[in-house]
Each structure stands twice: as structure tokens, then as C-alpha cells.
Amino acid sequence: MATECPSEVIRSLVARIAHLADEGQIDDYVQLYTEDAVWEMKRAGPSVAIGPQIVEGRTAIAEGVRRRRADGIAGPGTATRHVSSCVSIAFDSEHSARVQSVWQFFVDTTTAPKLASMGTYRDVFQRVDGSWLLAKRSITTG
């Protein structure tokens, strides 16, 4: 079996996290994070339905997803979609990478899709037991 390119694995994870945020199971989504992961909304503009916050650990991250889904902000049935692009990866070691990407958040995707907000993800991925996982996500808008 050929060895997978770490850059492509990480690019795929950035996309998979977006897909699961929109239409996947919460348990599958949080399995892509390290146990002690940090999810941080650093700055939110008026077009973002959630305010600045720092959430630590898989359990708390899952609860945040449940809350956003219950509030109809994102997730299955909300006609919303996350799009990630312009993914740039810098490896600090064979077990750690800093990743920056641009995100866009669309609403009304089943009728008249409209860009509601956009910004930057600044991520840290770590290789844990042979798998790359998201250890920290800092989100800014604008």
C-alpha cells in the first residue's frame, strides 16, 4: 500500500470537517478532533450567529454543535453549507502542522444560496497514533 501524502490527508480533513458540520453525525465530527482540542471563535461580525467563545475538549465541542443544530444555525435541515478553500499547510514536525484556510458560510442553499459570512480558519493538526486530528481551530470573520 502506498503511503498517503500528509498534506493531502490534512486537506481532506479540512473538507471532511466542513461536510460533517453540515450533514454528518456529531460523533463522527468530533472524532476528527483530538481529545483535548480547542475550538475558538475569536471575532464574530454581525453576520455570524454565534459570539466569541473558546470551547475545550471533544465533549464540549460536541455540545456546541448540538446547540447550533438545535438553534437552526447549521447542520442537517438548515439549508446551510460551509465551504473551505485556499488551504495552506506548514509542517512544524512529522507530527504537527499549522493550517490556514478561508471559509465561507452559505444560507438558503436549497432556494437562493447567499453568502452569509466568511473568514479564516487557523488550525493546528497533530498526528496521534498514526492519524491526523484537529487539535486547535481559531476562527475569525472578515
Side-chain angles (χ1 to χ4, degrees):
M1 176 186 280
T3 304
E4 294 183 87
C5 172
S7 293
E8 289 309 310
V9 170
I10 290 170
R11 284 181 209 286
S12 181
L13 282 169
V14 170
R16 181 91 176 121
I17 289 165
H19 294 305
L20 290 172
D22 293 331
E23 57 191 26
Q25 298 297 313
I26 295 170
D27 288 342
D28 294 335
Y29 174 81
V30 297
Q31 290 305 310
L32 300 179
Y33 288 78
T34 61
E35 287 289 341
D36 60 349
V38 175
W39 187 95
E40 176 182 22
M41 175 66 79
K42 293 184 91 167
R43 180 182 74 225
S47 64
V48 178
I50 57 175
Q53 59 185 288
I54 298 174
V55 181
E56 298 183 35
R58 277 185 184 165
T59 301
I61 292 169
E63 183 52 38
V65 174
R66 279 187 199 86
R67 192 170 42 257
R68 288 188 294 280
R69 288 182 176 193
D71 291 344
I73 295 169
T78 62
T80 61
R81 189 70 65 189
H82 292 82
V83 177
S84 300
S85 61
C86 302
V87 180
S88 173
I89 303 168
F91 288 92
D92 297 318
S93 73
E94 65 184 64
H95 297 286
S96 181
R98 288 174 286 115
V99 180
Q100 182 172 320
S101 58
V102 173
W103 60 267
Q104 297 175 320
F105 185 69
F106 289 86
V107 297
D108 301 327
T109 59
T110 57
T111 55
K114 152 176 98 169
L115 179 63
S117 57
M118 66 182 298
T120 303
Y121 292 137
R122 286 177 178 80
D123 297 332
V124 175
F125 281 84
Q126 293 179 344
R127 194 164 180 187
V128 179
D129 297 329
S131 296
W132 286 97
L133 300 172
L134 184 54
K136 182 174 184 183
R137 170 159 279 180
S138 293
I139 307 164
T140 55
T141 58

